[in-house]
Amino acid sequence: MQKELLEYTLRLGDNALILGQRLGEWCGYGPVLEQDIALSNIALDQLGQARMLMQYAARLKGEEYTEDKMAFFRDVTEYHNVLMLELPNDHWGFTIMRQFLFDTFNYYQYTQLLQSQDDHIKSVAQKAIKEITYHAQWSAEWVIRLGDGTEESHQKMQTALDELWQWTGEMLTPDAVDEKMREAGIGADLNKVKEEWQQKVAEILEIATLKKPEDDWMQEGGKQGEHSEHLGYILAEMQHLPRMYPEAEW
Amino acid sequence: MTTEMNLEQKFQDYVDAENKIEPKDWMPDRYRKTLIRQISQHAHSEVVGMLPEANWITRAPSLRRKVALLAKVQDEAGHGLYLYSAAETLGADRQDMVEDLLSGKAKYSSIFNYPTPTWADIGAIGWLVDGAAIANQVMLCRTSYGPYSRAMVRICKEESFHQRQGYEIMMTLARGTEKQKQMAQEALNRWWWPSLMMFGPTDDESPNSAQSMKWKIKRKSNDQLRQEFIDKTVPQAEFLGLQVPDPDLKWNEERGHYNFGTIDWEEFYNVINGNGKCNKQRMDARNKAHDEGEWVREAANAYALKEQKRKEQVAA
């Protein structure tokens, strides 16, 4: 049980950390200052959630662990984020589409986590839900704006959606750890999340004049530590300093 | 002509009486132009200034530092926005100002053409570059143009927070391992002289200063501000146990100030004129972000128009 709780906490925390890291790459390079600021805000929220969850994971793991040890001294196969979040940012529209698909999932997931039997996860959810609600609204608005903007933006968003679709199955499909956590009243019921997600995503895509792709092959493995090639580079960049000087404090 | 002179005299009297000029007040054309140039340069500096620090967001060595750095760089984007808005109150157009930056016509603070090769540079920028910026900006809180002055009050609050953060990074490094201490010292070596150059040429080489002082846009001369910065910063370096890279630096009891060595103005003009390590990199980055964002801005405008039409149809 302790083992599953740790992994579940890391799944939540790694999603927040890897997404925050990816979004942080945009800072200074956004299409217009106002949206640069908005996306940085979301990155900051994700990183703030990641810190709370890493602190909890460190606590579950044992005395000698800290949030930074969890973030900077785990290797690729020990990370449990979903694969979609480690994909490179590509263009702004791709980043926004991924954000929308994930935020919508995250919103329904965290709504359930407000009732978690685990006090730590519950308190993270209480803080995070306000932020995630805003993220989900913001990214849905931008999907609509860009989907129903110009011919070019429509095309870019449709392509992004088509490319991203195969990466959405993983977060919505429970495995043994998810099931165990749900049974214990700690984790979210992903089948329920999936239903709500499908409905909301279909609704927004329609307003955005985008065509929902057919469900086909779905990629999976991130939650269990089987990653794409991208994560190794993210970690190499993120972790290099603490790993080069492991005795140092920063 | 006489009327114009009368107006100018009235304006000067009004400024001399420590009144703030507001957007709708009459002002000499050169006052307006000087301010537009200065405020837009300031805005550009905030925006370009995001880049050397953004360079470390993905590599910050702890989660706490990562969050603080990202928040700081984001604040700079916000400062850019306030300042573009302040310039717009003078009739400048944000799009034109941005175009001037991207074409290389408009200048930005030359300090951002220096690279940030190590994490300690993030500490040194916060401590020294923000420190020098604050010295200038505290003065600008009392500048004669109302909107600029008010933007500065807001910006100063955030900047002093950034400076403390930068100093705290330096402190952690200076009290850390040998290697970290060395990192901190090397960053101080890199940023000390460029920070002193941020105050601009010496007073006798700064032809526009006198007029700006008369209009109370500026309230202290470049040399005055530079001296204040040095006097304040040297003890901070001593407290860190780091060596300021100036063999001529010495307290002068009589003047009540530090004496310091000669600034390499050749380097200053070289970097201004495009020969810094990062001039091209910074401008390329801004241009790339702008060009790649074009379709997003177009789509947002197109969507806004469609929405407006839809609303009109509903109303009709």
Side-chain angles (χ1 to χ4, degrees), chain A residues 135-175:
Chain A
H135 303 169
Q137 276 168 4
W138 182 87
S139 57
E141 279 166 18
W142 271 96
V143 163
I144 293 170
R145 202 171 278 138
L146 297 177
D148 190 21
T150 60
E151 188 53 45
E152 184 189 6
S153 73
H154 176 84
Q155 203 46 56
K156 278 191 147 80
M157 295 307 276
Q158 185 65 54
T159 308
L161 176 62
D162 294 344
E163 284 177 17
L164 279 161
W165 200 252
Q166 62 174 313
W167 305 97
T168 59
E170 181 183 16
M171 60 191 179
L172 302 162
T173 312
D175 71 352

Side-chain angles (χ1 to χ4, degrees), chain B residues 8 31 45 62 66 87 90 114 118 120 124 133-135 137 146 155 170 197 206 210 243 256 261 273:
Chain B
E8 277 221 37
Y31 177 85
S45 302
S62 75
K66 187 189 290 292
L90 291 156
Y114 288 85
T118 75
I134 289 168
Q137 288 166 359
I155 289 174
M170 292 302 274
M197 293 175 197
S206 183
Q243 195 77 39
N273 292 324

Side-chain angles (χ1 to χ4, degrees), chain B residues 147-165:
Chain B
Y148 192 23
S149 145
R150 290 189 288 273
M152 277 302 135
V153 171
R154 255 176 103 175
I155 289 174
C156 272
K157 279 186 198 148
E158 294 180 354
E159 289 289 4
S160 49
F161 180 67
H162 296 164
Q163 200 208 6
R164 277 204 299 278
Q165 245 172 28

